[in-house]
PDB file of all heavy atoms in Angstrom:
ATOM      1  N   LYS A  51      11.024  -1.115   5.112  1.00  0.00           N
ATOM      2  CA  LYS A  51      11.671  -2.337   5.581  1.00  0.00           C
ATOM      3  C   LYS A  51      11.533  -2.552   7.085  1.00  0.00           C
ATOM      4  O   LYS A  51      11.738  -3.664   7.579  1.00  0.00           O
ATOM      5  CB  LYS A  51      13.165  -2.312   5.222  1.00  0.00           C
ATOM      6  CG  LYS A  51      13.454  -2.186   3.734  1.00  0.00           C
ATOM      7  CD  LYS A  51      12.957  -3.375   2.956  1.00  0.00           C
ATOM      8  CE  LYS A  51      13.347  -3.275   1.483  1.00  0.00           C
ATOM      9  NZ  LYS A  51      12.816  -4.407   0.698  1.00  0.00           N
ATOM     10  N   LEU A  52      11.225  -1.495   7.833  1.00  0.00           N
ATOM     11  CA  LEU A  52      11.108  -1.592   9.279  1.00  0.00           C
ATOM     12  C   LEU A  52      10.300  -0.418   9.808  1.00  0.00           C
ATOM     13  O   LEU A  52       9.943   0.497   9.057  1.00  0.00           O
ATOM     14  CB  LEU A  52      12.506  -1.635   9.939  1.00  0.00           C
ATOM     15  CG  LEU A  52      13.519  -0.531   9.577  1.00  0.00           C
ATOM     16  CD1 LEU A  52      13.238   0.786  10.290  1.00  0.00           C
ATOM     17  CD2 LEU A  52      14.936  -0.977   9.899  1.00  0.00           C
ATOM     18  N   ILE A  53      10.024  -0.453  11.101  1.00  0.00           N
ATOM     19  CA  ILE A  53       9.342   0.650  11.776  1.00  0.00           C
ATOM     20  C   ILE A  53      10.266   1.184  12.858  1.00  0.00           C
ATOM     21  O   ILE A  53      10.718   0.433  13.726  1.00  0.00           O
ATOM     22  CB  ILE A  53       8.024   0.181  12.440  1.00  0.00           C
ATOM     23  CG1 ILE A  53       7.064  -0.383  11.394  1.00  0.00           C
ATOM     24  CG2 ILE A  53       7.369   1.334  13.196  1.00  0.00           C
ATOM     25  CD1 ILE A  53       6.567   0.630  10.400  1.00  0.00           C
ATOM     26  N   ARG A  54      10.582   2.465  12.792  1.00  0.00           N
ATOM     27  CA  ARG A  54      11.394   3.062  13.855  1.00  0.00           C
ATOM     28  C   ARG A  54      10.548   3.262  15.106  1.00  0.00           C
ATOM     29  O   ARG A  54       9.398   3.678  15.027  1.00  0.00           O
ATOM     30  CB  ARG A  54      11.968   4.403  13.402  1.00  0.00           C
ATOM     31  CG  ARG A  54      13.074   4.284  12.373  1.00  0.00           C
ATOM     32  CD  ARG A  54      13.776   5.613  12.177  1.00  0.00           C
ATOM     33  NE  ARG A  54      12.862   6.641  11.692  1.00  0.00           N
ATOM     34  CZ  ARG A  54      13.121   7.944  11.717  1.00  0.00           C
ATOM     35  NH1 ARG A  54      14.252   8.386  12.235  1.00  0.00           N
ATOM     36  NH2 ARG A  54      12.248   8.807  11.238  1.00  0.00           N
ATOM     37  N   VAL A  55      11.125   2.946  16.240  1.00  0.00           N
ATOM     38  CA  VAL A  55      10.489   3.204  17.526  1.00  0.00           C
ATOM     39  C   VAL A  55      11.486   3.973  18.382  1.00  0.00           C
ATOM     40  O   VAL A  55      12.659   4.103  18.021  1.00  0.00           O
ATOM     41  CB  VAL A  55      10.073   1.890  18.231  1.00  0.00           C
ATOM     42  CG1 VAL A  55       9.031   1.153  17.420  1.00  0.00           C
ATOM     43  CG2 VAL A  55      11.281   0.984  18.479  1.00  0.00           C
ATOM     44  N   ARG A  56      11.030   4.481  19.501  1.00  0.00           N
ATOM     45  CA  ARG A  56      11.911   5.271  20.363  1.00  0.00           C
ATOM     46  C   ARG A  56      13.117   4.443  20.800  1.00  0.00           C
ATOM     47  O   ARG A  56      12.977   3.402  21.432  1.00  0.00           O
ATOM     48  CB  ARG A  56      11.140   5.760  21.588  1.00  0.00           C
ATOM     49  CG  ARG A  56      11.923   6.728  22.449  1.00  0.00           C
ATOM     50  CD  ARG A  56      11.052   7.242  23.593  1.00  0.00           C
ATOM     51  NE  ARG A  56      11.774   8.174  24.435  1.00  0.00           N
ATOM     52  CZ  ARG A  56      11.884   9.472  24.185  1.00  0.00           C
ATOM     53  NH1 ARG A  56      11.314   9.996  23.122  1.00  0.00           N
ATOM     54  NH2 ARG A  56      12.554  10.260  25.004  1.00  0.00           N
ATOM     55  N   GLY A  57      14.308   4.883  20.406  1.00  0.00           N
ATOM     56  CA  GLY A  57      15.537   4.207  20.815  1.00  0.00           C
ATOM     57  C   GLY A  57      15.937   3.017  19.976  1.00  0.00           C
ATOM     58  O   GLY A  57      16.909   2.329  20.295  1.00  0.00           O
ATOM     59  N   GLY A  58      15.196   2.752  18.885  1.00  0.00           N
ATOM     60  CA  GLY A  58      15.550   1.590  18.079  1.00  0.00           C
ATOM     61  C   GLY A  58      14.615   1.389  16.904  1.00  0.00           C
ATOM     62  O   GLY A  58      14.145   2.339  16.293  1.00  0.00           O
ATOM     63  N   ALA A  59      14.329   0.120  16.603  1.00  0.00           N
ATOM     64  CA  ALA A  59      13.464  -0.202  15.464  1.00  0.00           C
ATOM     65  C   ALA A  59      12.766  -1.529  15.704  1.00  0.00           C
ATOM     66  O   ALA A  59      13.201  -2.349  16.513  1.00  0.00           O
ATOM     67  CB  ALA A  59      14.285  -0.269  14.180  1.00  0.00           C
ATOM     68  N   ARG A  60      11.696  -1.729  14.958  1.00  0.00           N
ATOM     69  CA  ARG A  60      10.887  -2.934  15.081  1.00  0.00           C
ATOM     70  C   ARG A  60      10.693  -3.556  13.709  1.00  0.00           C
ATOM     71  O   ARG A  60      10.519  -2.847  12.716  1.00  0.00           O
ATOM     72  CB  ARG A  60       9.531  -2.567  15.682  1.00  0.00           C
ATOM     73  CG  ARG A  60       8.679  -3.735  16.116  1.00  0.00           C
ATOM     74  CD  ARG A  60       7.497  -3.231  16.908  1.00  0.00           C
ATOM     75  NE  ARG A  60       6.720  -4.315  17.466  1.00  0.00           N
ATOM     76  CZ  ARG A  60       5.705  -4.144  18.293  1.00  0.00           C
ATOM     77  NH1 ARG A  60       5.355  -2.922  18.653  1.00  0.00           N
ATOM     78  NH2 ARG A  60       5.040  -5.177  18.767  1.00  0.00           N
ATOM     79  N   SER A  61      10.716  -4.874  13.646  1.00  0.00           N
ATOM     80  CA  SER A  61      10.571  -5.572  12.372  1.00  0.00           C
ATOM     81  C   SER A  61       9.158  -5.423  11.826  1.00  0.00           C
ATOM     82  O   SER A  61       8.183  -5.493  12.575  1.00  0.00           O
ATOM     83  CB  SER A  61      10.892  -7.059  12.555  1.00  0.00           C
ATOM     84  OG  SER A  61      10.579  -7.784  11.387  1.00  0.00           O
ATOM     85  N   LEU A  62       9.054  -5.261  10.511  1.00  0.00           N
ATOM     86  CA  LEU A  62       7.740  -5.203   9.873  1.00  0.00           C
ATOM     87  C   LEU A  62       7.035  -6.543   9.936  1.00  0.00           C
ATOM     88  O   LEU A  62       5.818  -6.613   9.811  1.00  0.00           O
ATOM     89  CB  LEU A  62       7.879  -4.775   8.406  1.00  0.00           C
ATOM     90  CG  LEU A  62       7.834  -3.280   8.125  1.00  0.00           C
ATOM     91  CD1 LEU A  62       7.994  -3.040   6.639  1.00  0.00           C
ATOM     92  CD2 LEU A  62       6.546  -2.656   8.613  1.00  0.00           C
ATOM     93  N   ASP A  63       7.786  -7.636  10.114  1.00  0.00           N
ATOM     94  CA  ASP A  63       7.161  -8.956  10.182  1.00  0.00           C
ATOM     95  C   ASP A  63       6.147  -9.036  11.314  1.00  0.00           C
ATOM     96  O   ASP A  63       5.174  -9.766  11.247  1.00  0.00           O
ATOM     97  CB  ASP A  63       8.221 -10.044  10.389  1.00  0.00           C
ATOM     98  CG  ASP A  63       8.978 -10.338   9.109  1.00  0.00           C
ATOM     99  OD1 ASP A  63       8.630  -9.733   8.077  1.00  0.00           O
ATOM    100  OD2 ASP A  63       9.903 -11.149   9.146  1.00  0.00           O
ATOM    101  N   GLU A  64       6.372  -8.269  12.372  1.00  0.00           N
ATOM    102  CA  GLU A  64       5.438  -8.276  13.486  1.00  0.00           C
ATOM    103  C   GLU A  64       4.125  -7.608  13.111  1.00  0.00           C
ATOM    104  O   GLU A  64       3.111  -7.788  13.760  1.00  0.00           O
ATOM    105  CB  GLU A  64       6.047  -7.559  14.695  1.00  0.00           C
ATOM    106  CG  GLU A  64       7.232  -8.299  15.289  1.00  0.00           C
ATOM    107  CD  GLU A  64       7.491  -7.915  16.730  1.00  0.00           C
ATOM    108  OE1 GLU A  64       6.858  -6.965  17.225  1.00  0.00           O
ATOM    109  OE2 GLU A  64       8.322  -8.565  17.360  1.00  0.00           O
ATOM    110  N   PHE A  65       4.149  -6.817  12.042  1.00  0.00           N
ATOM    111  CA  PHE A  65       2.951  -6.111  11.599  1.00  0.00           C
ATOM    112  C   PHE A  65       2.369  -6.719  10.326  1.00  0.00           C
ATOM    113  O   PHE A  65       1.438  -6.172   9.770  1.00  0.00           O
ATOM    114  CB  PHE A  65       3.285  -4.642  11.299  1.00  0.00           C
ATOM    115  CG  PHE A  65       3.802  -3.881  12.479  1.00  0.00           C
ATOM    116  CD1 PHE A  65       5.156  -3.621  12.600  1.00  0.00           C
ATOM    117  CD2 PHE A  65       2.948  -3.423  13.450  1.00  0.00           C
ATOM    118  CE1 PHE A  65       5.639  -2.906  13.675  1.00  0.00           C
ATOM    119  CE2 PHE A  65       3.423  -2.705  14.531  1.00  0.00           C
ATOM    120  CZ  PHE A  65       4.773  -2.449  14.644  1.00  0.00           C
ATOM    121  N   SER A  66       2.957  -7.821   9.852  1.00  0.00           N
ATOM    122  CA  SER A  66       2.615  -8.307   8.516  1.00  0.00           C
ATOM    123  C   SER A  66       1.155  -8.699   8.367  1.00  0.00           C
ATOM    124  O   SER A  66       0.601  -8.630   7.282  1.00  0.00           O
ATOM    125  CB  SER A  66       3.502  -9.503   8.148  1.00  0.00           C
ATOM    126  OG  SER A  66       3.336 -10.548   9.078  1.00  0.00           O
ATOM    127  N   SER A  67       0.505  -9.124   9.451  1.00  0.00           N
ATOM    128  CA  SER A  67      -0.895  -9.504   9.335  1.00  0.00           C
ATOM    129  C   SER A  67      -1.794  -8.283   9.236  1.00  0.00           C
ATOM    130  O   SER A  67      -2.715  -8.250   8.448  1.00  0.00           O
ATOM    131  CB  SER A  67      -1.316 -10.370  10.528  1.00  0.00           C
ATOM    132  OG  SER A  67      -1.108  -9.682  11.733  1.00  0.00           O
ATOM    133  N   ASP A  68      -1.502  -7.265  10.029  1.00  0.00           N
ATOM    134  CA  ASP A  68      -2.305  -6.043  10.021  1.00  0.00           C
ATOM    135  C   ASP A  68      -1.487  -4.889  10.570  1.00  0.00           C
ATOM    136  O   ASP A  68      -1.260  -4.813  11.773  1.00  0.00           O
ATOM    137  CB  ASP A  68      -3.555  -6.206  10.891  1.00  0.00           C
ATOM    138  CG  ASP A  68      -4.722  -6.779  10.126  1.00  0.00           C
ATOM    139  OD1 ASP A  68      -4.905  -6.378   8.971  1.00  0.00           O
ATOM    140  OD2 ASP A  68      -5.432  -7.621  10.690  1.00  0.00           O
ATOM    141  N   VAL A  69      -1.060  -3.994   9.710  1.00  0.00           N
ATOM    142  CA  VAL A  69      -0.321  -2.821  10.147  1.00  0.00           C
ATOM    143  C   VAL A  69      -1.315  -1.731  10.510  1.00  0.00           C
ATOM    144  O   VAL A  69      -2.272  -1.483   9.783  1.00  0.00           O
ATOM    145  CB  VAL A  69       0.624  -2.318   9.030  1.00  0.00           C
ATOM    146  CG1 VAL A  69       1.398  -1.094   9.494  1.00  0.00           C
ATOM    147  CG2 VAL A  69       1.584  -3.425   8.621  1.00  0.00           C
ATOM    148  N   GLU A  70      -1.096  -1.089  11.640  1.00  0.00           N
ATOM    149  CA  GLU A  70      -1.984  -0.014  12.074  1.00  0.00           C
ATOM    150  C   GLU A  70      -2.077   1.070  11.000  1.00  0.00           C
ATOM    151  O   GLU A  70      -1.092   1.416  10.354  1.00  0.00           O
ATOM    152  CB  GLU A  70      -1.460   0.612  13.371  1.00  0.00           C
ATOM    153  CG  GLU A  70      -1.544  -0.298  14.589  1.00  0.00           C
ATOM    154  CD  GLU A  70      -2.937  -0.351  15.183  1.00  0.00           C
ATOM    155  OE1 GLU A  70      -3.825   0.373  14.673  1.00  0.00           O
ATOM    156  OE2 GLU A  70      -3.135  -1.112  16.138  1.00  0.00           O
ATOM    157  N   GLN A  71      -3.273   1.614  10.835  1.00  0.00           N
ATOM    158  CA  GLN A  71      -3.507   2.646   9.831  1.00  0.00           C
ATOM    159  C   GLN A  71      -2.578   3.842  10.021  1.00  0.00           C
ATOM    160  O   GLN A  71      -2.055   4.397   9.060  1.00  0.00           O
ATOM    161  CB  GLN A  71      -4.979   3.096   9.905  1.00  0.00           C
ATOM    162  CG  GLN A  71      -5.437   3.959   8.743  1.00  0.00           C
ATOM    163  CD  GLN A  71      -5.888   3.142   7.551  1.00  0.00           C
ATOM    164  OE1 GLN A  71      -5.414   2.028   7.338  1.00  0.00           O
ATOM    165  NE2 GLN A  71      -6.789   3.684   6.769  1.00  0.00           N
ATOM    166  N   THR A  72      -2.354   4.232  11.272  1.00  0.00           N
ATOM    167  CA  THR A  72      -1.503   5.391  11.538  1.00  0.00           C
ATOM    168  C   THR A  72      -0.067   5.148  11.098  1.00  0.00           C
ATOM    169  O   THR A  72       0.620   6.076  10.659  1.00  0.00           O
ATOM    170  CB  THR A  72      -1.520   5.735  13.041  1.00  0.00           C
ATOM    171  OG1 THR A  72      -1.225   4.550  13.799  1.00  0.00           O
ATOM    172  CG2 THR A  72      -2.865   6.277  13.460  1.00  0.00           C
ATOM    173  N   ILE A  73       0.389   3.912  11.194  1.00  0.00           N
ATOM    174  CA  ILE A  73       1.742   3.571  10.740  1.00  0.00           C
ATOM    175  C   ILE A  73       1.793   3.578   9.220  1.00  0.00           C
ATOM    176  O   ILE A  73       2.698   4.137   8.604  1.00  0.00           O
ATOM    177  CB  ILE A  73       2.174   2.195  11.284  1.00  0.00           C
ATOM    178  CG1 ILE A  73       2.324   2.251  12.806  1.00  0.00           C
ATOM    179  CG2 ILE A  73       3.487   1.742  10.642  1.00  0.00           C
ATOM    180  CD1 ILE A  73       2.586   0.907  13.446  1.00  0.00           C
TER     181      ILE A  73
END
Side-chain angles (χ1 to χ4, degrees):
K51 301 296 184 182
L52 53 78
I53 300 294
R54 288 191 299 164
V55 297
R56 187 176 180 85
R60 191 170 186 174
S61 172
L62 271 180
D63 284 357
E64 293 202 352
F65 299 102
S66 59
S67 58
D68 272 320
V69 180
E70 291 281 357
Q71 192 85 331
T72 51
I73 293 173

